[in-house]
C-alpha cells in the first residue's frame, strides 16, 4: 500500500524524508492493526489515502507523516508524548490539532448551533497556530466523503450537510479548488440524489457532440497561438456538477439554457502571454460584453489568478475560456498549499520576505479571529462565518489605484474600515468616482472610492451596524462603542447583573469560580469586575446565560432545583389527594397512583398505554398524573431531568374501559394494501379513530392506524394479523 504513496511523493513533492514516511507507515499500520473501516477493510487504508491526498498537494514531510498518524492519538493507546518522542514535537502538534477538531463532535451542547460554533472557533484557532492542521483535516474529510456510501443513510446526509456548510467553504477560502469542487460534488450526490443523477444523465446525453465541438475549438486556438509564437497547453474541462446545479437553481434555468457546460483552459509561461492569448481569442471569437474578468490584476482573496472571458464560437455557441500561467494554475488547484512557507526553494526571497508574503495571504483569518471574539451568539457566528467564507467579492480602487477587495454588497463604511480602523472611525462621508454618495451606497466592481474624514468626527453611530456588511467592520464599530462608552456600559452592565442575580436568587461571590468562569474570563480578556460589567453593557455576553452556566458549573442550580422539585412534588400530591376527596367518583381508567384511586389521570399521547403495558406516572403541574409506557422515550427524558415527579401507577379495575392505541405498518407499496388493513380492523370489530398513509422512497409505504381497544391482547392480535398480509415488512407500536 505504501508504494502508491511513495510514487505520489516522488512526482509532486521536494526534499521529503522518505525514511520518516516509511517509519510512520509501519507505526500507523501496527497501531491500527485490529481496527476496521465501516466497509470492512483494514483501517490503515484511510491514513494512507489521507497521506496520498497531501502528497498530491506537494506538502512537506511533517504534514505527510502527520496525515499517516492523524488518527493514532484519537483511536489507539498511543499518546501525544509518545508520538513526539518517536517522531518530533511538530508532527505531534499537528496530530493533536486534528484530534481536537475531531473530538469536538463528541462534546455535549445545548443546541446544534452551539456545537457547530465551538467547532468552528477551535478550527480557526488551530488554523492560526498552524494552517497545516486544517489542510490535513480537509484531506481527512475528502477521503471520508469518498467512502461515505458505507455509512447509514442519516449519517450520510449529516456529514454531507456539514461538509457543504463548513469544509467546502474553507477549502474555497484557502484556494484549494481541487478539494473544494470534489467535496461539493460528493455532497450534492448525497443531499440531492435525484437531481444529481438526473443532471449526470442530461450532461452525458450530448457529451460526444460537446467534446467534438471543444476539440475543434482547441485545434483552432492551438494553430493561432503557435503562429503567434506563444507556447501553450490547451484543454477543455467539463464544469463540475454542483456549479452547474447552483447556476440552474439561482438563475432558474434548465440544462438546455446553460451553454458553458465546458470551459477551455489555456496555460502559458508568463503574464505577458496571458494578455497576448486574450487578444488573439477576442480577435477570433466575439466576446460577450460584461463577461470578462481580470483576476490577474485583481486576484481573489484566496490567491486565485486567471483571465476569464466568455465568447461566441462557431455555430453561435457560447463557451468560457480561462487563461493563466502554469504557476497560477498550481495556485488555483492547491491554494495555500502551493505557497507553503515551510517548503524549500523559492529562490530570490529571504525567509523574512517569504514569511511576510505568507502572512498577507492569511489576513482574512486574523480578521475572522478578531471578529469571533466579539460574537457570543452561536447562530449569528455560524451565519457570519458562512457569509465570510463563501460570499462573492467586489473589487474597488483607492484614489491612488490600489485594489481593495470587499464582500458582496459592501458599502463605503466597509471600505473605510478595510483601509484602517481610524479611517472608519473618523469617516464623515464618501465619494465614488468623484461624486458624493450616501454611506449606505452599494459599491460595484471597478469604482474608485474616496473616504472623507474629519478630526472632529464624533465616530460611528448605531445605524452603521446595519449599514456595514462585513463582520470585520461590524466588529470594529462595536469595539469603538465598547471603548468610547465604557463608563456608560459599566453602569448599564452592573444594573443588568444585579437584576439578574436577584432574579435567579444567588450571590455573585458564590458563583464566580469554576471552569466556566475561568474560560469566560480568559476568552473575553476580563481583568476586573468593571470589564465584566462593560461586556454585559455592550451586549457582548448574555447576563442570564452567564449566571445560569455558572450556577450549573458550581452545583448551585442543581441544589435549588432539587429543593424546588421536592416542594412541587409534595404540593402536587397534596392537591391530588385533596381533589380526590372532593371527587368521590372513580376515574374512568381505573388507575391507582401509589395505592390511591380516584386521582385525575390522563394517558400520554406520545405512547398511548393500554391495559397490559408496564406503566409509570408523571405528576404534571395542574393537569393531574400523566401515564406513560415504561419504554416511552419522553418518559426517560422526564426521569433524567425531573425524576422526583415520577410515581408508581397500576392498572386497577379497567374492565369495559376503552383506550386509544396507534400502530405503524411498514410494507411494500401495492394496490389494495390499505383496504386489506381496514378489513382486518373490521373483522376484529374495532373502532377506527384515525388513519394516515405515506409513500416513502424505493417503493415503501407507511400506514399509521389509531384504534380504540380494551386491552393490550387485542392490540397484539391486531398486529399479528396485519403482519400476515402480503407485502407487510413490520408492524410496531408508535412511540415518541
Amino acid at each position: 500500500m505504501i508504494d502508491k504513496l511513495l510514487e505520489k511523493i516522488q512526482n509532486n513533492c521536494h526534499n521529503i524524508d522518505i525514511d520518516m514516511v516509511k517509519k510512520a507507515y509501519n507505526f500507523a499500520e501496527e497501531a491500527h492493526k485490529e481496527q476496521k473501516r465501516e466497509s470492512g477493510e483494514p483501517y490503515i487504508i484511510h491514513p494512507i489515502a489521507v497521506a496520498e491526498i497531501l502528497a498530491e498537494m506537494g506538502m512537506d514531510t511533517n504534514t505527510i507523516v502527520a496525515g499517516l498518524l492523524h488518527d493514532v492519538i484519537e483511536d489507539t493507546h498511543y499518546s501525544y508524548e509518545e508520538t513526539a518522542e518517536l517522531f518530533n514535537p511538530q508532527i505531534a502538534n499537528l496530530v493533536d490539532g486534528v484530534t481536537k477538531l475531531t473530538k469536538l463532535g463528541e462534546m455535549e451542547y445545548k443546541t446544534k448551533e452551539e456545537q457547530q460554533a465551538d467547532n468552528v472557533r477551535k478550527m480557526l484557532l488551530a488554523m492560526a497556530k498552524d494552517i497545516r492542521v486544517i489542510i490535513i483535516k480537509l484531506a481527512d474529510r475528502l477521503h471520508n466523503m469518498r467512502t461515505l456510501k458505507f455509512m447509514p443513510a442519516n449519517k450520510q446526509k449529516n456529514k454531507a450537510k456539514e461538509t457543504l456548510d463548513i469544509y467546502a467553504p474553507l477549502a474555497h477560502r484557502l484556494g484549494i479548488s481541487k478539494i473544494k469542487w470534489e467535496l461539493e460534488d460528493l455532497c450534492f450526490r448525497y443531499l440531492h440524489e435525484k437531481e444529481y443523477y438526473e443532471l449526470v444523465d442530461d450532461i452525458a446525453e450530448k457529451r460526444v457532440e460537446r467534446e467534438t465541438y471543444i476539440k475543434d475549438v482547441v485545434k483552432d486556438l492551438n494553430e493561432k497561438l503557435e503562429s503567434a509564437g506563444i507556447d501553450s497547453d490547451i484543454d477543455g474541462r467539463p464544469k463540475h456538477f454542483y456549479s452547474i446545479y447552483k447556476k440552474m437553481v439561482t438563475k432558474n434555468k434548465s440544462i438546455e439554457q446553460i451553454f458553458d457546460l465546458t470551459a477551455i483552459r489555456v496555460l502559458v509561461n508568463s503574464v505577458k502571454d496571458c494578455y497576448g492569448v486574450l487578444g488573439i481569442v477576442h480577435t477570433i471569437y466575439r466576446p460577450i460584453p460584461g463577461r470578462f474578468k481580470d483576476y490577474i490584476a485583481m486576484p481573489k482573496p484566496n490567491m486565485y489568478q486567471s483571465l476569464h472571458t466568455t465568447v461566441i464560437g462557431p455555430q453561435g455557441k457560447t463557451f468560457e475560456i480561462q487563461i493563466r500561467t502554469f504557476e497560477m494554475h498550481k495556485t488555483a488547484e492547491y491554494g495555500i498549499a502551493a505557497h507553503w512557507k515551510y517548503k524549500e526553494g523559492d529562490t530570490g526571497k529571504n525567509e523574512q520576505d517569504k514569511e511576510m508574503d505568507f502572512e498577507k495571504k492569511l489576513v482574512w483569518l486574523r480578521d475572522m479571529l478578531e471578529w469571533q471574539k466579539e460574537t457570543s451568539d452561536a447562530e449569528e457566528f455560524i451565519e457570519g462565518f458562512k457569509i465570510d467564507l463563501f460570499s462573492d467579492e467586489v473589487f474597488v480602487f483607492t484614489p491612488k489605484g490600489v485594489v481593495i477587495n470587499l464582500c458582496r454588497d459592501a458599502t463605503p463604511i466597509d471600505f473605510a474600515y478595510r483601509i484602517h480602523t481610524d479611517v472608519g472611525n473618523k469617516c464623515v462621508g464618501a465619494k465614488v468616482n468623484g461624486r458624493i454618495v450616501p454611506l449606505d451606497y452599494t459599491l460595484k466592481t471597478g469604482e474608485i472610492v474616496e473616504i472623507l474624514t474629519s478630526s472632529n468626527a464624533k465616530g460611528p453611530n448605531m445605524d452603521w451596524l446595519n449599514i456595514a456588511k462585513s463582520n470585520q467592520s461590524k466588529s470594529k464599530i462595536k469595539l469603538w462603542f465598547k471603548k468610547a462608552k465604557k463608563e456608560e456600559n459599566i453602569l448599564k452592565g452592573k444594573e443588568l447583573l444585579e437584576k439578574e442575580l436577584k432574579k435567579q436568587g444567588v450571590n455573585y461571590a458564590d458563583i464566580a469560580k469554576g471552569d466556566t468562569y475561568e474560560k469566560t474570563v480568559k476568552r473575553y480578556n476580563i481583568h476586573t469586575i468593571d470589564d465584566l460589567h462593560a461586556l454585559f453593557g455592550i451586549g457582548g455576553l448574555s447576563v442570564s446565560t452567564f449566571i445560569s452556566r455558572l450556577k450549573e458549573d458550581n452545583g448551585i442550580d442543581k441544589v435549588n432545583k432539587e429543593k424546588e422539585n421536592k416542594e412541587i412534588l409534595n404540593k402536587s400530591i397534596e392537591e391530588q389527594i385533596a381533589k380526590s376527596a372532593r371527587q368521590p367518583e372513580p376515574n374512568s381508567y381505573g388507575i391507582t397512583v401509589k395505592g390511591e384511586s380516584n386521582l385525575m389521570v390522563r394517558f400520554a399521547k406520545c405512547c398511548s398505554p393500554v391495559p397490559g403495558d408496564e406503566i409509570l406516572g408523571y405528576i404534571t403541574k395542574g393537569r393531574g398524573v400523566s401515564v406513560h409506557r415504561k419504554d416511552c422515550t419522553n418518559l426517560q427524558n422526564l426521569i433524567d431531568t425531573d425524576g422526583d415527579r415520577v410515581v408508581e401507577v397500576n392498572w386497577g379495575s379497567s374492565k369495559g374501559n376503552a383506550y386509544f392505541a396507534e400502530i405503524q405498518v411498514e410494507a411494500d407499496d401495492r394496490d389494495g394494501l390499505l383496504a386489506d388493513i381496514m378489513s382486518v380492523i373490521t373483522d376484529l370489530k374495532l373502532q377506527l379513530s384515525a388513519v394516515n398513509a405515506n409513500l416513502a422512497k424505493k417503493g415503501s409505504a407507511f400506514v399509521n392506524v389509531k384504534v380504540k381497544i380494551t386491552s393490550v391482547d387485542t392490540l397484539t392480535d391486531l398486529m399479528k394479523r396485519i403482519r400476515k398480509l402480503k407485502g407487510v415488512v413490520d408492524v410496531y407500536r408508535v412511540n415518541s
Side-chain angles (χ1 to χ4, degrees):
M1 284 187 286
I2 196 174
D3 291 341
K4 191 178 173 186
L5 171 61
L6 295 177
E7 184 184 338
K8 290 194 175 183
I9 288 172
Q10 187 177 358
N11 293 337
N12 300 289
C13 305
H14 303 284
N15 303 318
I16 300 296
D17 186 339
I18 297 297
D19 289 336
M20 187 178 281
V21 172
K22 288 179 178 178
K23 178 183 174 183
Y25 166 74
N26 292 329
F27 179 71
E29 186 179 38
E30 175 63 27
H32 293 298
K33 67 180 178 181
E34 301 298 330
Q35 297 171 349
K36 299 280 186 186
R37 296 273 287 166
E38 290 281 342
S39 61
E41 297 172 309
Y43 194 87
I44 188 64
I45 284 174
H46 174 62
I48 281 276
V50 171
E52 284 177 10
I53 293 167
L54 295 169
E56 285 172 7
M57 295 165 72
M59 296 306 293
D60 61 310
T61 300
N62 286 345
T63 310
I64 293 170
V65 168
L68 282 167
L69 305 177
H70 78 274
D71 278 333
V72 165
I73 293 177
E74 181 188 355
D75 291 338
T76 74
H77 62 275
Y78 288 101
S79 65
Y80 167 88
E81 289 74 21
E82 288 171 305
T83 307
E85 190 178 338
L86 281 165
F87 295 94
N88 63 49
Q90 203 175 100
I91 289 171
N93 286 334
L94 289 171
V95 175
D96 189 49
V98 178
T99 300
K100 282 176 180 172
L101 294 186
T102 306
K103 285 192 172 180
L104 283 169
E106 299 168 10
M107 295 169 67
E108 289 186 11
Y109 295 88
K110 290 182 179 178
T111 66
K112 192 174 181 180
E113 286 77 17
E114 273 190 27
Q115 178 182 351
Q116 201 173 47
D118 202 19
N119 199 343
V120 172
R121 289 184 205 275
K122 294 278 175 63
M123 229 180 323
L124 291 174
L125 291 169
M127 287 164 68
K129 200 177 271 188
D130 193 329
I131 199 74
R132 291 176 297 179
V133 170
I134 201 62
I135 293 175
I136 296 167
K137 187 64 185 173
L138 285 172
D140 171 50
R141 179 54 63 109
L142 178 58
H143 184 248
N144 282 332
M145 287 299 298
R146 286 173 178 173
T147 56
L148 199 60
K149 64 182 179 182
F150 298 107
M151 300 286 282
N154 63 322
K155 286 192 176 181
Q156 287 177 354
K157 287 196 179 296
N158 289 340
K159 283 280 182 192
K161 180 76 170 63
E162 182 185 50
T163 301
L164 197 60
D165 282 350
I166 304 295
Y167 292 99
L170 266 175
H172 166 75
R173 206 64 168 84
L174 294 170
I176 312 174
S177 63
K178 198 171 179 69
I179 287 182
K180 175 215 170 192
W181 289 122
E182 188 175 351
L183 285 177
E184 286 184 337
D185 280 355
L186 287 166
C187 293
F188 178 30
R189 176 183 163 191
Y190 288 104
L191 290 173
H192 305 284
E193 188 177 353
K194 182 186 173 188
E195 292 87 344
Y196 175 83
Y197 285 109
E198 282 177 357
L199 187 59
V200 170
D201 291 342
D202 288 342
I203 290 173
E205 271 183 25
K206 295 185 179 179
R207 190 182 64 188
V208 176
E209 178 189 327
R210 204 163 47 248
E211 285 178 351
T212 304
Y213 180 82
I214 292 298
K215 203 177 288 182
D216 292 340
V217 172
V218 169
K219 184 182 176 185
D220 190 26
L221 260 178
N222 256 322
E223 289 172 0
K224 295 290 192 298
L225 295 182
E226 280 178 16
S227 63
I230 297 176
D231 291 331
S232 63
D233 185 355
I234 310 173
D235 71 341
R237 63 168 189 86
K239 290 212 168 181
H240 298 275
F241 295 125
Y242 185 67
S243 66
I244 296 170
Y245 172 72
K246 270 205 307 185
K247 190 175 284 189
M248 288 169 65
V249 172
T250 54
K251 297 188 177 180
N252 197 24
K253 289 185 176 182
S254 66
I255 189 74
E256 289 78 17
Q257 294 172 299
I258 295 178
F259 302 107
D260 52 343
L261 295 175
T262 306
I264 291 175
R265 184 188 292 137
V266 183
L267 303 181
V268 293
N269 293 314
S270 67
V271 173
K272 178 186 172 185
D273 286 345
C274 288
Y275 289 100
V277 171
L278 179 69
I280 292 168
V281 167
H282 283 180
T283 303
I284 306 170
Y285 308 115
R286 187 188 305 164
I288 295 177
R291 294 296 298 274
F292 167 66
K293 292 174 184 174
D294 187 344
Y295 293 119
I296 292 178
M298 295 181 287
K300 290 188 176 186
N302 64 4
M303 300 169 291
Y304 179 85
Q305 286 184 288
S306 186
L307 298 176
H308 289 195
T309 184
T310 303
V311 297
I312 301 172
Q315 304 165 32
K317 293 182 178 178
T318 62
F319 60 91
E320 185 182 64
I321 295 181
Q322 299 172 357
I323 309 161
R324 64 184 77 136
T325 66
F326 289 97
E327 193 59 35
M328 288 173 189
H329 179 60
K330 194 175 181 183
T331 302
E333 295 274 287
Y334 298 115
I336 202 82
H339 290 256
W340 185 241
K341 66 176 178 179
Y342 293 96
K343 286 183 178 180
E344 294 184 16
D346 198 12
T347 55
K349 286 188 178 181
N350 61 37
E351 287 302 317
Q352 190 174 358
D353 288 340
K354 284 194 280 184
E355 182 76 21
M356 285 175 65
D357 281 352
F358 191 81
E359 289 304 316
K360 282 179 186 174
K361 294 176 176 71
L362 292 178
V363 166
W364 63 271
L365 177 58
R366 313 289 169 204
D367 288 343
M368 205 176 282
L369 274 171
E370 284 303 312
W371 165 69
Q372 68 91 18
K373 288 177 186 175
E374 303 293 327
T375 312
S376 58
D377 183 79
E379 198 169 335
E380 180 191 342
F381 173 73
I382 286 297
E383 284 309 306
F385 175 77
K386 291 176 188 174
I387 290 167
D388 267 7
L389 282 189
F390 233 170
S391 64
D392 295 330
E393 298 93 20
V394 294
F395 299 91
V396 294
F397 297 91
T398 68
K400 292 184 178 179
V402 177
V403 178
I404 303 292
N405 65 287
L406 299 166
C407 65
R408 182 180 58 193
D409 299 330
T411 64
I413 289 174
D414 295 298
F415 179 88
Y417 278 105
R418 176 58 65 87
I419 298 299
H420 197 278
T421 303
D422 283 344
V423 174
N425 290 339
K426 293 177 181 178
C427 172
V428 292
K431 286 183 179 181
V432 172
N433 296 336
R435 182 173 56 89
I436 296 282
V437 296
L439 290 178
D440 62 355
Y441 174 83
T442 301
L443 298 174
K444 301 171 191 68
T445 293
E447 292 179 326
I448 300 170
V449 185
E450 181 184 354
I451 298 299
L452 308 175
T453 60
S454 169
S455 56
N456 298 320
K458 294 180 181 178
N461 62 57
M462 292 302 289
D463 290 339
W464 285 19
L465 288 171
N466 297 321
I467 295 171
K469 300 301 176 187
S470 79
N471 291 310
Q472 285 71 36
S473 301
K474 291 178 181 180
S475 176
K476 289 174 181 178
I477 293 166
K478 285 179 182 177
L479 190 63
W480 184 89
F481 281 113
K482 186 177 178 180
K483 289 178 179 176
K485 298 191 174 184
K486 190 167 183 180
E487 290 302 320
E488 186 181 323
N489 288 326
I490 288 171
L491 290 172
K492 184 181 176 183
K494 186 178 181 182
E495 186 182 328
L496 287 170
L497 179 63
E498 288 173 352
K499 188 177 178 182
E500 191 62 33
L501 286 169
K502 190 175 180 181
K503 182 181 174 183
Q504 297 202 29
V506 288
N507 293 317
Y508 186 69
D510 295 335
I511 58 174
K513 55 189 176 182
D515 288 343
T516 301
Y517 180 77
E518 294 299 327
K519 285 177 184 175
T520 306
V521 165
K522 189 175 179 182
R523 178 177 169 187
Y524 291 100
N525 202 24
I526 297 166
H527 299 293
T528 65
I529 191 69
D530 280 350
D531 291 339
L532 184 64
H533 289 154
L535 187 64
F536 290 146
I538 200 173
L541 183 63
S542 165
V543 186
S544 60
T545 303
F546 178 63
I547 293 173
S548 296
R549 286 180 177 173
L550 289 184
K551 283 168 65 181
E552 188 178 335
D553 193 33
N554 290 290
I556 293 171
D557 210 30
K558 189 177 178 183
V559 171
N560 290 344
K561 188 75 175 171
E562 286 174 356
K563 186 179 177 183
E564 183 188 346
N565 284 345
K566 283 180 182 177
E567 289 173 359
I568 292 170
L569 183 65
N570 292 333
K571 189 177 178 182
S572 296
I573 292 172
E574 286 169 10
E575 286 175 357
Q576 293 292 343
I577 292 170
K579 193 173 283 187
S580 67
R582 292 195 302 270
Q583 299 174 346
E585 288 294 318
N587 67 68
S588 60
Y589 304 113
I591 298 287
T592 61
V593 181
K594 281 193 171 182
E596 292 283 344
S597 59
N598 305 326
L599 296 183
M600 186 166 67
V601 170
R602 65 185 182 87
F603 288 122
K605 290 181 181 179
C606 53
C607 57
S608 302
V610 297
D613 287 333
E614 291 188 26
I615 53 175
L616 280 174
Y618 174 76
I619 298 174
T620 65
K621 293 180 181 180
R623 298 181 65 196
V625 177
S626 175
V627 179
H628 294 256
R629 288 184 2 225
K630 272 190 179 180
D631 60 356
C632 175
T633 53
N634 276 352
L635 178 65
Q636 296 305 314
N637 292 334
L638 291 170
I639 291 172
D640 292 340
T641 59
D642 216 357
D644 289 339
R645 300 173 70 84
V646 176
V647 292
E648 290 182 14
V649 293
N650 295 292
W651 296 104
S653 174
S654 56
K655 192 174 180 182
N657 289 329
Y659 306 85
F660 287 104
E662 187 175 354
I663 61 172
Q664 186 171 78
V665 181
E666 182 182 349
D668 298 328
D669 184 37
R670 65 173 176 84
D671 291 337
L673 173 65
L674 197 56
D676 289 348
I677 294 171
M678 294 301 101
S679 178
V680 172
I681 293 169
T682 304
D683 290 345
L684 287 171
K685 297 180 180 177
L686 298 175
Q687 183 183 331
L688 180 67
S689 172
V691 63
N692 183 32
N694 289 303
L695 187 63
K697 286 184 178 179
K698 299 176 182 175
S700 293
F702 291 88
V703 182
N704 282 48
V705 176
K706 195 170 185 180
V707 291
K708 211 170 188 181
I709 59 168
T710 54
S711 73
V712 76
D713 294 335
T714 310
L715 190 62
T716 304
D717 189 25
L718 172 64
M719 292 166 68
K720 195 182 291 183
R721 292 194 188 199
I722 292 175
R723 274 196 193 95
K724 291 179 182 178
L725 294 177
K726 179 185 173 184
V728 171
V729 177
D730 200 2
V731 184
Y732 34 82
R733 293 273 294 275
V734 173
N735 205 343
S736 57

